[in-house]
Amino acid sequence: MSLRTYMASMDSDRPERTLDLLEPDFRFLIALPGSEVTGESREDFAAYIAGRNPKDRSHEILRHSRDGDVETVYGVVTEGGRYTGSFLSAAVISPGGLIARYQSFFTTSFELVDWARQGAEQGDGSRA
């Protein structure tokens, strides 16, 4: 799935490599609490990546699907292993396998699917 690769790349030490997964005329909308980031090119997305604060951030995909050229994923974002919010994202995949369009909605106030951190160190699923 293209969105799994996209998320892994965004979480890596080199998020700029994500640009290789995008069509040149890539369009996007990222809706965050209180703001939106939009763009109409790979260059606009490069500017978005450059403006992100480097953190120990991880997108953990809990659900995914594909119907024709559209992929969707739902998951949670953690920073340093701690829950920060949830996201619902969708993308149109081009015939060449690149992401042509992307929209993502992030919230800190609602979980569509309950999340509990895996692992013995925080097996209680706490959000603290």
Side-chain angles (χ1 to χ4, degrees):
M1 279 190 82
S2 298
L3 282 179
R4 285 184 180 275
T5 304
Y6 165 89
M7 297 288 177
S9 183
M10 288 295 287
D11 293 343
S12 75
D13 292 342
R14 305 275 313 273
E16 67 277 5
R17 290 184 180 172
T18 305
L19 301 174
D20 295 336
L21 305 172
L22 311 176
E23 288 289 347
D25 63 345
F26 174 70
R27 291 190 322 218
F28 65 96
L29 162 72
I30 300 171
L32 305 166
S35 69
E36 290 185 351
V37 180
T38 62
E40 297 186 1
S41 67
R42 205 181 317 181
E43 291 76 21
D44 288 347
F45 197 72
Y48 165 71
I49 291 172
R52 292 174 79 219
N53 293 327
K55 294 186 178 186
D56 182 15
R57 183 177 294 134
S58 177
H59 294 79
E60 298 186 29
I61 296 173
L62 304 178
R63 301 288 191 277
H64 59 88
S65 68
R66 182 168 185 154
D67 183 10
D69 62 351
V70 175
E71 290 184 13
T72 58
V73 294
Y74 175 82
V76 298
V77 174
T78 60
E79 291 182 6
R82 300 178 90 78
Y83 173 88
T84 60
S86 59
F87 64 90
L88 181 59
S89 301
V92 173
I93 310 304
S94 71
L98 298 177
I99 300 174
R101 307 289 178 263
Y102 176 73
Q103 69 178 20
S104 184
F105 298 90
F106 176 78
T107 181
T108 58
S109 63
F110 183 78
E111 287 180 68
L112 182 65
V113 176
D114 291 335
W115 174 79
R117 178 174 166 92
Q118 302 299 311
E121 68 277 2
Q122 284 194 358
D124 64 356
S126 69
R127 305 286 191 279

